[in-house]
Amino acid sequence: MDIGEVIGIPVILFMIFVAPLWVFMHYRSKNKIGQGLSDNELAQLNDLSHKAEKMADRIKTLEAILDAESPRWREKHD
């Protein structure tokens, strides 16, 4: 058995079985990335965005209350 057979047979098996599967999976994943967000992911993103806006409004309200009751509260906690 010479070195050509030792190296050649695994390379041929790789090219026949592994390489096509590898290329297929690569382009399949690229296609999924290019499609963008699914409907479910977009709905979750919109829900999180709405919750973040509500939380920001609540924080502003709480800061306004604290400013009215204890004007120097920011100096104590920054």
Side-chain angles (χ1 to χ4, degrees), residues 15 22 33 39 59 75-76:
M15 295 301 286
W22 190 354
I33 290 171
D39 292 339
I59 290 171
E75 296 170 7
K76 297 176 186 173

Side-chain angles (χ1 to χ4, degrees), residues 16-70:
I16 291 173
F17 296 107
V18 177
L21 184 61
W22 190 354
V23 170
F24 172 76
M25 296 299 283
H26 170 74
Y27 284 107
R28 183 175 153 200
S29 68
K30 279 189 147 302
N31 188 25
K32 283 186 177 182
I33 290 171
Q35 290 177 351
L37 298 175
S38 69
D39 292 339
N40 186 29
E41 292 169 332
L42 188 58
Q44 287 178 335
L45 183 62
N46 286 333
D47 185 47
L48 288 172
S49 175
H50 180 69
K51 287 178 181 179
E53 289 174 6
K54 285 175 58 177
M55 188 178 297
D57 290 340
R58 289 176 179 172
I59 290 171
K60 286 179 186 177
T61 301
L62 289 172
E63 287 179 343
I65 291 169
L66 284 170
D67 286 337
E69 291 184 3
S70 178

